[in-house]
Amino acid sequence: MVPVLERHPLHSLLAREHTTAAAYLKRLADRHRALGYGQMACRKEKFSRWIAGTEPELSAQLAMADLHGIDPEQVHRRGWPAWLLLALHDTARVWELPWTVAGTVEALEDAGGGPVDRRGFVITSLGTLAATGAHWAATTPAAVGATRGRRIGQGAATLFETRLETLRHLDDAVGSSHAYDAALAELRLITGVLKENSYSEATGRRLYAAAAETSRLLGWCAYDNGRLADAEKRFATSLRAAATGHDATLGASTLAFWANLRYSAGDPYGALGLIERALDNRHKIASGRVLAMLHARQARAHSKAGEAKAAYRALDAAFTAYDRAGPAAGDVPSMYWMTHGEAHEVAASCALTLGEPARALEHFDAALRHEDPYDTRTEARGAGIYLARQAEAHLALGDLDAAVDVAGLAIEQLGGADSARGTSTLADLRGRLAAHRAARPVADFLDLTA
């Protein structure tokens, strides 16, 4: 049921954008036509009827959502006019809050409101990115115990940590959209407990760490679905909560995931800045696998920037850090996926980006043959993406038959995956194969998988 609003969101949109109803309807009609929905009447009374309670046609709502950069899924999920509130959200809020316990709680409350983003775009400037990393590194640990409300103990924190373990594997099993929704509900629950209960300093730290890990998972799921701005806000919130919970290892992990987003979105130097900030604090990182991940992401960013020597040097550091990490059982639970095989997959991706397809294939092969291999069952989406890159390597070497064979495996792996990254990877691969359509195997493959 849509809540009764004191002021309709359309009124607020007009005020924020300093426009009139007639001008707004003209923009909307242009977008409606551009999206293929046909002509839309621009009479002013249409706007008045919407404000009075008449729901716009779905095509008009979808055009409106596109105009404001809102994921069309939210139109269907939230209904009119609730989804329109997303366009009014203050995207600067999470960046401007103070780096204090109170600021963290406010950021967590804000983050509990659901996805707010401009699909496909990052929202953080390099200056803000650098400042956020610097705030994380410089935040002085403060007391996080609370004395008001019903007293809870370490058992509550343990329950949240157990539920987070399930959420991480839920993402692997059912996809990032469903895992996002579950993690969002979890974050709201943790935030409510932090605000409404009393607890010791030790319990408080664990609760803030749970909030940080939940926010990191939300960021990852949003990124996997192509909601980059939402992902960046989640990662920023995770950093705040990690700093409040005195968990430098978790903060460094969040920086690594954020760096992945930045170099994938075409900003390798922004990614390197985040990683370097984390590595500046390596003495505080209690996980060998997190260190290995940081170096691996550093290598990937350097490869995206075309810096081969720096990339391979970082890869050497990643393998060394992993070899020193010790058994997985002694590491942080969230790093279960970081294997020696994963490091080889990253090395293969770096080599491919740097124009060395033969070297890439050697690493792709090693990733599965090592005694600590890449887990294709747990990492189904990642396995499909790496298969697509392997097909690309074969294509670069002129082996069209091998490229088509591996591309078929990639499509089989990613065909039903709930992942914008996977969909984009397959589209890119098909585009590369299309340049070789004159070859019969390629043509047959493209026709069969159209």
Side-chain angles (χ1 to χ4, degrees):
M1 183 176 180
V2 176
V4 177
L5 306 170
E6 292 182 6
R7 189 182 194 201
H8 199 283
L10 282 173
H11 273 310
S12 300
L13 275 177
L14 294 188
R16 190 190 68 178
E17 299 190 8
H18 306 289
T19 189
T20 63
Y24 183 83
L25 283 171
K26 175 62 169 60
R27 288 172 57 205
L28 184 60
D30 290 343
R31 185 61 57 91
H32 193 274
R33 185 171 57 255
L35 290 171
Y37 297 137
Q39 296 293 329
M40 190 188 87
C42 293
R43 294 186 297 273
K44 189 176 179 180
E45 55 266 28
K46 177 189 291 285
F47 193 88
S48 300
R49 288 199 301 271
W50 291 347
I51 289 175
T54 300
E55 181 173 334
E57 293 182 355
L58 179 59
S59 62
Q61 292 188 53
L62 292 173
M64 201 179 299
D66 191 77
L67 190 65
H68 294 291
I70 303 299
D71 187 340
E73 178 185 348
Q74 298 300 322
V75 175
H76 300 288
R77 179 182 297 182
R78 292 171 179 258
W80 175 268
W83 70 261
L84 199 57
L85 295 173
L86 298 177
L88 295 169
H89 192 84
D90 181 6
T91 58
R93 180 181 175 89
V94 71
W95 314 105
E96 296 175 352
L97 290 168
W99 282 69
T100 61
V101 175
T104 296
V105 172
E106 194 168 349
L108 290 171
E109 283 189 289
D110 189 47
V116 182
D117 80 296
R118 304 298 180 257
R119 178 174 284 274
F121 297 93
V122 295
I123 59 172
T124 317
S125 68
L126 288 178
T128 302
L129 202 67
T132 302
H135 280 304
W136 167 75
T139 297
T140 302
V144 294
T147 57
R148 293 184 179 179
R150 186 172 68 86
R151 188 75 172 178
I152 60 171
Q154 298 268 7
T158 299
L159 287 172
F160 280 122
E161 290 160 0
T162 301
R163 288 158 65 94
L164 273 170
E165 182 70 10
T166 300
L167 278 178
R168 283 188 287 264
H169 291 287
L170 188 67
D171 172 41
D172 298 328
V174 303
S176 50
S177 289
H178 294 299
Y180 183 100
D181 292 340
L184 186 60
E186 192 74 3
L187 183 64
R188 290 170 179 156
L189 181 57
I190 296 170
T191 303
V193 169
L194 281 168
K195 285 188 60 185
E196 298 165 9
N197 293 271
S198 64
Y199 37 82
S200 68
E201 178 78 9
T203 297
R205 290 186 183 189
R206 291 175 66 187
L207 290 173
Y208 279 105
E213 173 63 4
T214 307
S215 297
R216 183 204 62 78
L217 182 58
L218 281 164
W220 166 253
C221 291
Y223 161 62
D224 188 59
N225 271 287
R227 299 199 303 264
L228 304 189
D230 187 33
E232 292 214 289
K233 292 186 67 179
R234 303 296 178 186
F235 289 142
T237 302
S238 176
L239 270 189
R240 285 180 178 274
T244 302
H246 310 182
D247 195 328
T249 301
L250 180 49
S253 176
T254 295
L255 287 169
F257 277 87
W258 198 346
N260 188 350
L261 181 154
R262 294 300 294 205
Y263 64 63
S264 298
D267 179 25
Y269 293 110
L272 287 169
L274 292 172
I275 294 165
E276 287 164 9
R277 180 63 66 187
L279 290 174
D280 285 344
N281 291 271
R282 72 183 72 202
H283 60 287
K284 299 179 182 178
I285 298 174
S287 164
R289 281 170 171 74
V290 168
L291 279 173
M293 173 175 61
L294 284 165
H295 286 299
R297 299 284 165 86
Q298 186 180 44
R300 196 73 181 99
H302 280 302
S303 75
K304 293 276 191 175
E307 298 168 349
K309 288 184 179 179
Y312 290 125
R313 187 166 57 247
L315 282 172
D316 288 341
F319 282 112
T320 298
Y322 186 82
D323 289 340
R324 292 174 177 170
D331 215 306
V332 294
S334 62
M335 295 302 295
Y336 65 92
W337 56 272
M338 186 65 201
T339 62
H340 202 284
E342 171 69 29
H344 275 294
E345 297 281 19
V346 174
S349 298
C350 289
L352 183 61
T353 298
L354 291 167
E356 298 187 63
R359 188 172 186 171
L361 288 176
E362 290 176 3
H363 281 293
F364 280 130
D365 184 62
L368 300 180
R369 294 186 182 276
H370 195 274
E371 62 182 17
D372 181 23
Y374 183 82
D375 189 345
T376 57
R377 291 172 300 175
T378 299
E379 295 292 313
R381 280 164 297 170
I385 290 170
Y386 286 134
L387 280 169
R389 291 174 187 168
Q390 189 175 343
E392 183 183 338
H394 284 298
L395 194 61
L397 290 169
D399 190 344
L400 297 182
D401 288 332
V404 167
D405 288 343
V406 178
L409 295 175
I411 287 179
E412 182 179 338
Q413 188 81 28
L414 287 170
D418 173 21
S419 170
R421 289 186 307 129
T423 301
S424 174
T425 298
L426 290 181
D428 183 61
L429 177 59
R430 287 181 57 82
R432 292 176 186 275
L433 285 167
H436 302 270
R437 180 178 275 278
R440 182 63 179 270
V442 175
D444 289 345
F445 172 81
L446 291 174
D447 290 342
L448 285 170
T449 59

